[in-house]
Amino acid sequence: MNQAQNLINRLTQLGFVSNQFKTHADDLTFFGKDQTKHFEPNPCVIVFPKSTEQVQQIVKLCNELQLVITPSGGRTGLSAGAVASKGEVVISLDKMNKILNFYPSDRMVEVEAGVVTKNLQHFAQEQGLYYPVDFASSGSSQIGGNISTNAGGIKVIRYGMTRNWVLGLTVVTGDGKILKLNKGMLKNATGYDLRHLFIGAEGTLGIVTEAQIKLERPPKNLTVMVLGVEKFSHIMQILANFQHKIDLSAFEFFDQVAMTKLLAANTVVRPFESDCAFYALLEFEAPYEPIMDEAMAVFEYCMEQGFVIDGVMSQSLSQANELWKLRESISETISVFTPYKNDLSVLITHVPDFISEIDKIVADNYPDFEVCWFGHIGDGNLHLNILKPNNLTKDEFFDKCKIVNQYVFETVQKYNGSISAEHGVGMTKKAYLNYTRSCDEIAYLKGIKAVFDPNQIMNIGKIFD
Amino acid sequence: MNQAQNLINRLTQLGFVSNQFKTHADDLTFFGKDQTKHFEPNPCVIVFPKSTEQVQQIVKLCNELQLVITPSGGRTGLSAGAVASKGEVVISLDKMNKILNFYPSDRMVEVEAGVVTKNLQHFAQEQGLYYPVDFASSGSSQIGGNISTNAGGIKVIRYGMTRNWVLGLTVVTGDGKILKLNKGMLKNATGYDLRHLFIGAEGTLGIVTEAQIKLERPPKNLTVMVLGVEKFSHIMQILANFQHKIDLSAFEFFDQVAMTKLLAANTVVRPFESDCAFYALLEFEAPYEPIMDEAMAVFEYCMEQGFVIDGVMSQSLSQANELWKLRESISETISVFTPYKNDLSVLITHVPDFISEIDKIVADNYPDFEVCWFGHIGDGNLHLNILKPNNLTKDEFFDKCKIVNQYVFETVQKYNGSISAEHGVGMTKKAYLNYTRSCDEIAYLKGIKAVFDPNQIMNIGKIFD
């Protein structure tokens, strides 16, 4: 009897029922992968626990049977953090998708880890509140996965990362202990905050099974501007000038390449006539007339200074959403060009120099490569996408990109930046971890893992080897 | 030759100069204690490093010589986290008090750990920005100490704890490695965030030597209301109603006992005629007329409902500061009554039941004890102060309080609360740590400590034994 069947039998004895296991080849493939395509999925079984205690039972048995576990949420990851390619037991949180208790005075809700981000957003809305972490995959990503990758998205400049919204966690550690971390409190100074260790740990220390999430009041009269810009340095001027006067909830940018692809794909409406080298999209709350006046004054100042060539401001929520499509459609629109993606971060101060160095590296080495930049300038987070030329096969292209990558990551290191701003490390970035984290740091990471997962069964091969 | 002299000689060989050591009995007493009086200070030497590298040299030597280190900042702590009572080497950060680089685009400043909180606040102000972590001891507390205790204070409801403002840390670990953690980035998803492990670690994993601190735009037209209330439940109604309409930057409360002591000490001006059982102090930005109108409308609604008996609103910044004195003078005013202090936290939802249970416990056991409540209701953080009756000596009183403490912490545990919301654990709370953290959690804390401090030299005896 193989180990997977052994596990199923043992769990069945503990009360698991047949629909809590999947072993069909299609299911193994489906649940064994995320959005990446670098690794062939090959788990041995998919298990669907219904409670924290059932997760604990699985983890304890996997320790006993020496089976490696890959925790699995909405599988929307871009770094193969949830890919099971080596016979792992996948623990899917799909059946732990209940919204539990809501505490209005605390503006806090307890949820199981399998709750889809969008459902949490809707729940918040029903309570007259707001869950501000948002990104393209929020319709299928799960809150447990968001937490395990410390998901970011488009509102970080105002609301921060997922980390900021986690008041408490229930986790099952690698050695099968259930921990209730921080218990929803805003203030708790009683030793190391293990909650923050599990946030962003990509399931390598244990499995997040429940979370206590803080909600916020909803934004009022969100207003969006899209501005056309000639030089990248002007983007920085625009950011500085607006931020001085207005509380921005987003400050995004994209380049001419992105706009050209968007227009060619007919996915968006041209925001204004002028063709520009760069575009800034900014968003702010404007519940009071004077805020709009201030925003217009800054806009006019930026026009006078030549920072802005052309621009448009939303007059309604539907117009705001329409303008957001410009930014949010980029990733899908350029996917037909098989982009080689990097998700980089540096200090905002260093963004202009960093972008021009990378552009030069690509132009010098591969003058026929087209580079598409977009991202969250307000957070120093840049999505670098190199588009595949028609004359190269995917493999040829990716091989060349790997060489470029080396230069890119050296530049990241030079600027004390991050090789993964919000996509995590998983398997695709682990070879490059030392460009952002020192050898000493990585040694400590491994030491911490050994504390929580002494038998080395939790998502092995992710973040580091 | 004793070990302290040995350490001094060895460090002198490495370039330390004589004014970087203090061994006089008065200095040992002065630098060996914080604001607590439970333990007799007794360090063997005070060392004043001038750089991260010098801190590393001290730590490496203490590993070699098996000397225990106590890191020392402004020594304003209330839990004996910085007390050296067992012959420790005190590393004072007093000579590492420089503000280093400022990055306007990132609104970020790099500081040495010995910078006094107030100086950081002033620096921010000079840049047209704001460092929002504030509390009574900010004139002498140091940023390194704030970080090591994750200091909170009076603006947490809006701005969060110190943790929220730390973008990067330089630390020397217990085994003498220098780590540069997170390097100032807003987004960095590259494995466990060790920065958050050092925040609140009370110097037990290593020493914070530098920090990258985020600054914020300054608040505009801060307005303060003080409201008199008859029942505690009305405080909660007031919070809910205001929070629904207004972005509060503070929501504090204090009771009749506190007000009586304040007025008797002549430290404050009576805010209004009515005597009330409880007082709420709330603060918000009112840069636009409609916000003030909304605040007044909520105030009037609360009056109509009987939640508010009497109230006053500041008409100027100086009036706002005057009203704040009511809340900020309490701690000092009641200090003449030798208060037995607890710094507790529960979910806001549980605050009313929690307070009434504690009141009953004290009244049932010690009907002659006077209890003074104040704190940060908006964060669920309550300062419980039991005042010494005249007929008891300090020792008799504290002995009785220790019995009460047992009941108090059992009640904290029942409500899943914290035995130390913002004061840390240090030595005074470590016997009670298990009321907030489980045995499994505490075992993991010790496991983590062993990773960073294998020879057990960093602030031993703090947080846990």
Side-chain angles (χ1 to χ4, degrees), chain A residues 103-108 110 128 149-150 152-154 156-158 161 163-164 173-197 199-202 204-205 212 214 217 220 236 239 243-247 285 288 290-291 294 345-350 376 378-381 383 416-425 433 435-438 440-441 443-449 451-452 463-464, chain B residues 103-108 110 128 149-150 152-154 156-158 161 163-164 173-197 199-202 204-205 212 214 217 220 236 239-240 243-247 285 288 290-291 294 345-350 376 378-381 383 416-425 433 435-438 440-441 443-449 451-452 463-464:
Chain A
Y103 298 84
S105 299
D106 291 270
R107 290 178 165 179
M108 190 259 282
E110 294 174 341
T149 56
N150 191 23
I154 54 179
V156 171
I157 191 174
R158 163 87 182 256
M161 310 288 282
R163 184 185 297 285
N164 291 26
T173 63
D175 54 350
K177 304 283 198 319
I178 295 173
L179 305 182
K180 305 249 180 198
L181 302 175
N182 202 55
K183 302 169 191 166
M185 282 177 284
L186 287 168
K187 283 181 162 182
N188 177 20
T190 56
Y192 321 148
D193 196 331
L194 301 182
R195 164 182 54 145
H196 284 291
L197 205 50
I199 297 170
E202 303 188 32
T204 61
L205 301 176
Q212 294 168 304
K214 189 159 175 57
R217 70 149 176 84
K220 298 169 187 166
M236 305 305 285
L239 174 62
Q243 210 160 25
H244 190 61
K245 292 285 186 189
I246 303 277
D247 293 340
E285 286 185 273
Y288 309 112
I291 298 180
E294 279 187 283
S345 166
V346 292
L347 292 191
I348 298 166
T349 302
H350 298 322
H376 320 285
D379 324 317
N381 178 194
H383 297 299
N416 281 320
S418 177
I419 59 148
S420 187
E422 57 179 356
H423 292 174
V425 178
L433 184 60
Y435 286 95
T436 293
R437 310 292 294 262
S438 70
D440 285 335
E441 273 189 88
Y444 287 122
L445 300 189
K446 291 180 181 179
I448 289 170
K449 177 163 173 70
V451 170
F452 290 93
I463 305 181
F464 44 71
Chain B
Y103 298 85
S105 299
D106 292 87
R107 291 178 165 179
M108 190 258 284
E110 295 175 343
T149 55
N150 190 24
I154 56 179
V156 172
I157 190 175
R158 163 88 182 255
M161 309 288 282
R163 182 183 300 287
N164 291 26
T173 63
D175 54 350
K177 305 283 199 318
I178 295 174
L179 305 181
K180 304 250 179 198
L181 301 174
N182 201 58
K183 300 168 193 168
M185 282 177 284
L186 287 167
K187 282 181 162 183
N188 177 21
T190 56
Y192 323 147
D193 196 332
L194 301 183
R195 166 183 53 148
H196 285 291
L197 205 49
I199 297 170
E202 304 188 32
T204 61
L205 300 176
Q212 294 167 304
K214 190 162 175 54
R217 72 149 175 83
K220 298 169 189 165
M236 305 305 286
L239 174 62
Q243 210 159 24
H244 191 60
K245 292 285 185 190
I246 303 278
D247 293 341
E285 285 186 274
Y288 309 111
I291 297 179
E294 279 187 282
S345 166
V346 293
L347 292 191
I348 299 166
T349 303
H350 298 323
H376 320 286
D379 323 317
N381 178 194
H383 297 300
N416 282 319
S418 176
I419 59 147
S420 186
E422 58 179 356
H423 292 173
V425 178
L433 184 61
Y435 286 95
T436 292
R437 311 292 294 261
S438 69
D440 285 336
E441 274 189 87
Y444 287 122
L445 299 190
K446 291 180 181 179
I448 289 170
K449 178 164 174 68
V451 170
F452 289 92
I463 304 182
F464 44 71

Side-chain angles (χ1 to χ4, degrees), chain A residues 22 24 54 121 148 161 208 220 269 356 365 385 453:
Chain A
K22 284 189 194 289
H24 190 282
Q54 285 200 336
Q121 290 169 344
S148 295
M161 310 288 282
V208 174
K220 298 169 187 166
V269 181
S356 76
N365 291 279
N385 289 261
D453 182 29

Side-chain angles (χ1 to χ4, degrees), chain B residues 76-346:
Chain B
T76 58
L78 297 168
S79 300
V83 171
S85 60
K86 293 177 180 164
E88 294 92 339
V89 174
V90 169
I91 297 184
S92 166
L93 279 298
D94 278 9
K95 289 189 195 291
M96 290 183 64
N97 60 359
K98 287 190 290 297
I99 290 176
L100 305 167
N101 302 305
F102 173 57
Y103 298 85
S105 299
D106 292 87
R107 291 178 165 179
M108 190 258 284
V109 60
E110 295 175 343
V111 298
E112 290 184 322
V115 167
V116 169
T117 313
K118 193 61 86 185
N119 293 348
L120 175 60
Q121 291 169 344
H122 285 156
F123 176 84
Q125 203 173 1
E126 283 164 16
Q127 315 306 319
L129 292 168
Y130 182 61
Y131 179 64
V133 181
D134 196 20
F135 37 78
S137 63
S138 61
S140 46
S141 77
Q142 295 177 2
I143 191 71
N146 297 354
I147 291 167
S148 295
T149 55
N150 190 24
I154 56 179
K155 305 273 186 170
V156 172
I157 190 175
R158 163 88 182 255
Y159 296 104
M161 309 288 282
T162 297
R163 182 183 300 287
N164 291 26
W165 302 92
V166 178
L167 292 177
L169 287 181
T170 303
V171 301
V172 177
T173 63
D175 54 350
K177 305 283 199 318
I178 295 174
L179 305 181
K180 304 250 179 198
L181 301 174
N182 201 58
K183 300 168 193 168
M185 282 177 284
L186 287 167
K187 282 181 162 183
N188 177 21
T190 56
Y192 323 147
D193 196 332
L194 301 183
R195 166 183 53 148
H196 285 291
L197 205 49
F198 278 81
I199 297 170
E202 304 188 32
T204 61
L205 300 176
I207 303 182
V208 173
T209 61
E210 292 181 16
Q212 294 167 304
I213 302 290
K214 190 162 175 54
L215 304 175
E216 178 58 312
R217 72 149 175 83
K220 298 169 189 165
N221 193 27
L222 280 179
T223 302
V224 173
M225 282 186 183
V226 172
L227 309 174
V229 176
E230 199 178 280
K231 291 183 196 171
F232 190 81
S233 62
H234 293 165
I235 296 258
M236 305 305 286
Q237 295 281 2
I238 293 165
L239 174 62
N241 278 285
F242 271 94
Q243 210 159 24
H244 191 60
K245 292 285 185 190
I246 303 278
D247 293 341
L248 296 172
S249 55
F251 192 91
E252 304 280 311
F253 98 114
F254 48 96
D255 66 5
Q256 165 81 43
V257 174
M259 182 64 101
T260 307
K261 306 294 184 201
L262 286 170
L263 293 174
N266 268 318
T267 43
V268 296
V269 181
R270 182 185 275 275
F272 40 72
E273 275 312 300
S274 316
D275 277 323
C276 302
F278 299 99
Y279 299 84
L281 180 154
L282 53 93
E283 184 194 69
F284 54 94
E285 285 186 274
Y288 309 111
E289 198 58 35
I291 297 179
M292 204 66 99
D293 296 344
E294 279 187 282
M296 283 311 295
V298 178
F299 172 77
E300 279 158 22
Y301 173 80
C302 287
M303 286 286 276
E304 282 161 25
Q305 298 295 312
F307 304 150
V308 171
I309 293 171
D310 206 341
V312 60
M313 184 168 80
S314 66
Q315 304 297 324
S316 68
L317 194 59
S318 72
Q319 276 181 26
N321 291 336
E322 203 57 43
L323 289 173
W324 261 115
K325 271 194 198 158
L326 287 163
R327 168 65 186 82
E328 290 193 309
S329 309
I330 296 171
S331 212
E332 205 182 317
T333 304
I334 64 169
S335 68
V336 296
F337 301 96
T338 321
Y340 192 84
K341 285 169 173 288
N342 265 308
D343 171 38
L344 311 169
S345 166
V346 293

Side-chain angles (χ1 to χ4, degrees), chain A residues 4 41-45 67-68 84-90:
Chain A
N42 182 36
C44 70
V45 57
L67 287 166
V68 171
S85 60
K86 293 180 179 164
E88 293 93 339
V89 173
V90 169

Side-chain angles (χ1 to χ4, degrees), chain A residues 86-110:
Chain A
K86 293 180 179 164
E88 293 93 339
V89 173
V90 169
I91 298 184
S92 166
L93 278 299
D94 278 10
K95 289 190 195 290
M96 289 182 64
N97 60 359
K98 288 189 291 297
I99 290 175
L100 306 169
N101 303 305
F102 173 57
Y103 298 84
S105 299
D106 291 270
R107 290 178 165 179
M108 190 259 282
V109 60
E110 294 174 341

